[in-house]
Amino acid sequence: KISLLSCSGSRSSKTFKPKKNIPEGSHQYELLKHAEATLGSGNLRMAVMLPEGEDLNEWVAVNTVDFFNQINMLYGTITDFCTEESCPVMSAGPKYEYHWADGTNIKKPIKCSAPKYIDYLMTWVQDQLDDETLFPSKIGVPFPKNFMSVAKTILKRLFRVYAHIYHQHFDPVIQLQEEAHLNTSFKHFIFFVQEFNLIDRRELAPLQELIEKLTSKDR
């Protein structure tokens, strides 16, 4: 488990979102336990596959919540290194810069620092996950028709946090001995989005070399 001690300080705690819990006893909770059990086997390709007889929307929902929690924790460990001064723009290396827009509150993309961007991004994702009409937690409540497109947008944006950490903050990740954890989390994420074709290949370009390296052993 990751220590949360490095998430101290007023700004860090603001960026660090509370963990999104899947209610115990629910079917989604059982799915999450299934996912954790298959992950434990070490075979990530198998772990991401849709369990027999399960609903794809529900499987994507459970895993999206799980990735949000993982990325939230990983970013939480390096917030002290990701500041207005160190990261005045949200980037993933010199070729890729992201501007924030959520389509409702901020319609025209704005240029902002990485900590600000990630705060916007994680708050936005959290709002989607908390919306019962989008992510129903009760059994029998159907997923909306646009669920998959919302999930794709969430995952596309979460990828950007991984890309920023890898490009701009990999040294502190190594210092904190979080490298293996980050790689495993990202590899799991990539296998999942590849399995269900959830992120456009162009969006993955900032980490294409790493993706090829991490996934080549498991073809």
Side-chain angles (χ1 to χ4, degrees):
K1 292 286 175 208
I2 294 179
S3 156
L4 302 187
L5 296 175
S6 53
C7 308
S8 59
S10 57
R11 196 193 58 73
S12 307
S13 54
K14 181 171 163 288
T15 306
F16 191 81
K17 304 293 166 206
K19 192 165 188 269
K20 169 83 181 159
N21 286 318
I22 290 175
E24 269 190 63
S26 68
H27 184 61
Q28 291 185 11
Y29 187 78
E30 297 304 314
L31 273 181
L32 183 64
K33 289 284 158 251
H34 169 88
E36 284 170 358
T38 44
L39 275 175
S41 73
N43 186 333
L44 288 172
R45 280 257 183 248
M46 294 287 291
V48 298
M49 288 177 182
L50 180 66
E52 205 173 325
E54 292 298 343
D55 175 56
L56 179 60
N57 284 346
E58 199 154 35
W59 183 238
V60 169
V62 166
N63 282 278
T64 300
V65 170
D66 193 35
F67 289 128
F68 168 76
N69 287 336
Q70 286 184 44
I71 294 165
N72 194 5
M73 288 184 84
L74 284 162
Y75 182 69
T77 62
I78 57 102
T79 49
D80 291 344
F81 304 95
C82 186
T83 64
E84 301 283 327
E85 294 73 40
S86 71
C87 303
V89 295
M90 173 63 178
S91 63
K95 283 199 266 179
Y96 301 96
E97 187 178 304
Y98 300 112
H99 297 174
W100 178 254
D102 58 14
T104 46
N105 299 323
I106 300 171
K107 291 191 168 69
K108 193 170 179 238
I110 57 168
K111 191 171 179 169
C112 53
S113 68
K116 187 84 185 132
Y117 184 101
I118 291 170
D119 192 43
Y120 277 134
L121 187 157
M122 297 304 263
T123 302
W124 177 83
V125 173
Q126 197 175 27
D127 289 345
Q128 310 307 302
L129 300 182
D130 288 341
D131 185 343
E132 279 287 327
T133 63
L134 277 177
F135 280 77
S137 58
K138 295 178 182 68
I139 290 176
V141 177
F143 282 84
K145 287 195 168 56
N146 67 331
F147 170 75
M148 216 39 103
S149 68
V150 172
K152 284 178 177 178
T153 304
I154 292 172
L155 293 165
K156 175 181 79 176
R157 289 177 173 173
L158 288 175
F159 167 82
R160 294 171 181 178
V161 184
Y162 279 121
H164 180 71
I165 294 172
Y166 271 111
H167 276 284
Q168 311 302 130
H169 302 295
F170 200 59
D171 287 345
V173 166
I174 292 169
Q175 285 164 25
L176 293 162
Q177 299 181 319
E178 293 289 352
E179 187 184 353
H181 188 106
L182 175 64
N183 285 346
T184 303
S185 173
F186 181 62
K187 191 171 171 181
H188 179 204
F189 178 89
I190 286 301
F191 279 177
F192 190 82
V193 300
Q194 285 178 343
E195 175 73 13
F196 303 106
N197 202 17
L198 297 169
I199 301 183
D200 192 291
R201 197 180 157 84
R202 282 170 312 184
E203 285 285 339
L204 301 175
L207 294 178
Q208 196 52 49
E209 280 177 42
L210 176 69
I211 291 168
E212 281 166 18
K213 194 171 133 193
L214 287 176
T215 58
S216 62
K217 300 184 193 83
D218 299 84
R219 293 217 185 280

